[in-house]
Amino acid sequence: MPSITNRPVIELAGVGKVYGKGEAEVHALDGVDIAIERGDFVAIIGASGSGKSTMMNIIGCLDAPTFGSYLLDGIRTGDLDEYQLAQIRNRKIGFVFQNFNLISRTRAVDNVAMPLAYAKVRRRERRERALAMLDAVGLANRAEHKPSELSGGQQQRVAIARALVTNPVLLLADEPTGALDSHSSAEILDLFDSLHSSGRTIVMITHEMDVAARAGRVVRMQDGRIISDERLKPFAQPLLAGAL
Ligand SMILES: Nc1ncnc2c1ncn2[C@@H]1O[C@H](COP(=O)(O)OP(=O)(O)OP(=O)(O)O)[C@@H](O)[C@H]1O
Ligand SMILES: [Mg+2]
């Protein structure tokens, strides 16, 4: 779903997340403020336990903050109930995970088409859009293959096609190259580059500094806080979201 506002895609203000109670209380996030503009490519890095996944879960509307506010594409998520959160998650966010999370006995094209079924798109259009998206990630000739018949890098490209098929405002990737060898990682990062060039907004969590260096902006977390926020490449907000 294309963006409907000129606001940043993501606005976190004073966001905190506390797990557990009393002695066992953990402040996984502790007052995070960040805005991410449309068309930006942001890497989030930090040591294990610094709060990256907690932040990803909040950005992805998979979990709610304990305090503070989160606006996704101008929508105040704190006002939404579970059902509305699930809807906004499906419409506005494409997820990419370390382990691809494809359905193993299902062909690539049907994996990619799946989110369109939830969005109640008709069968023929689902297939057409899924094939077009596989073409966009360079896998037109693998559409009828099952995940087990594809390399890791190809599986991740299928997962990226699936994440983008609904045309979300945000691509949210958690260690997208974590399970890949260096050659496949480079392919995925090249694909992110071209998605970014065509106007996609990407937020990517990674442990690896050389992966983060491919982003336009690097946000470093420590103990649930943002300790640095550095722009690596000049950023111009795109006038139009691209076709890819
Ligand atoms: N469900 C939970 N219950 C209690 N504590 C949690 C829970 N999830 C995370 N934490 C704690 O919150 C802190 C932040 O965890 P988080 O998973 O966000 O870290 P991370 O930066 O993603 O780490 P990693 O790089 O290892 O994935 C950690 O101290 C963790 O132990
Ligand atoms: Mg994590």
Side-chain angles (χ1 to χ4, degrees):
M1 175 180 274
S3 196
I4 47 167
T5 72
N6 287 323
R7 300 189 71 110
V9 173
I10 291 167
E11 294 169 84
L12 297 180
V15 163
K17 181 73 189 180
V18 183
Y19 289 113
K21 286 207 170 80
E23 294 273 292
E25 210 171 86
V26 176
H27 289 250
L29 287 183
D30 194 12
V32 169
D33 299 298
I34 188 172
I36 296 177
E37 302 290 337
R38 266 200 292 164
D40 209 350
F41 179 9
V42 179
I44 295 174
I45 63 170
S48 180
S50 60
K52 304 182 297 297
S53 293
T54 304
M55 184 144 121
M56 158 123 182
N57 289 341
I58 288 172
I59 288 174
C61 298
L62 297 162
D63 202 357
T66 311
F67 50 86
S69 79
Y70 171 33
L71 274 71
L72 170 61
D73 204 22
I75 296 168
R76 191 170 292 280
T77 59
D79 296 342
L80 306 178
D81 62 27
E82 280 294 319
Y83 176 75
Q84 292 169 317
L85 273 180
Q87 272 200 323
I88 187 175
R89 184 163 67 228
N90 290 340
R91 287 193 194 147
K92 292 193 177 286
I93 303 173
F95 290 91
V96 174
F97 302 97
Q98 179 167 356
N99 294 314
F100 326 133
N101 290 11
L102 298 174
I103 298 173
S104 59
R105 268 174 289 188
T106 303
R107 294 167 204 285
V109 62
D110 296 323
N111 265 285
V112 175
M114 201 142 307
L116 296 174
Y118 293 117
K120 300 200 167 59
V121 174
R122 297 170 68 123
R123 184 184 296 267
R124 176 182 300 213
E125 186 187 338
R126 293 206 297 262
R127 184 172 168 86
E128 282 167 7
R129 285 173 61 179
L131 287 172
M133 201 47 76
L134 280 172
D135 189 29
V137 300
L139 286 179
N141 59 351
R142 293 289 188 278
E144 307 298 334
H145 289 233
K146 293 179 183 159
S148 60
E149 300 163 350
L150 298 170
S151 72
Q154 289 170 336
Q155 289 182 61
Q156 192 61 300
R157 280 191 276 155
V158 173
I160 291 167
R162 178 184 58 185
L164 295 176
V165 78
T166 54
N167 198 23
V169 288
L170 174 67
L171 183 66
L172 191 53
D174 192 359
E175 300 279 359
T177 63
L180 300 176
D181 61 37
S182 58
H183 175 76
S184 301
S185 294
E187 270 178 16
I188 295 303
L189 292 170
D190 288 346
L191 178 57
F192 277 13
D193 268 347
S194 81
L195 294 170
H196 173 47
S197 305
S198 71
R200 288 281 174 194
T201 310
I202 304 171
V203 173
M204 171 177 74
I205 289 174
T206 179
H207 271 95
E208 296 164 80
M209 195 50 224
D210 57 332
V211 171
R214 298 288 294 266
R217 173 180 174 192
V218 178
V219 172
R220 188 182 293 268
M221 312 267 317
Q222 188 183 302
D223 298 333
R225 293 165 190 249
I226 292 174
I227 56 160
S228 71
D229 185 344
E230 188 187 358
R231 180 154 296 288
L232 303 181
K233 297 171 190 162
F235 172 60
Q237 201 162 3
L239 292 173
L240 285 172
L244 239 189

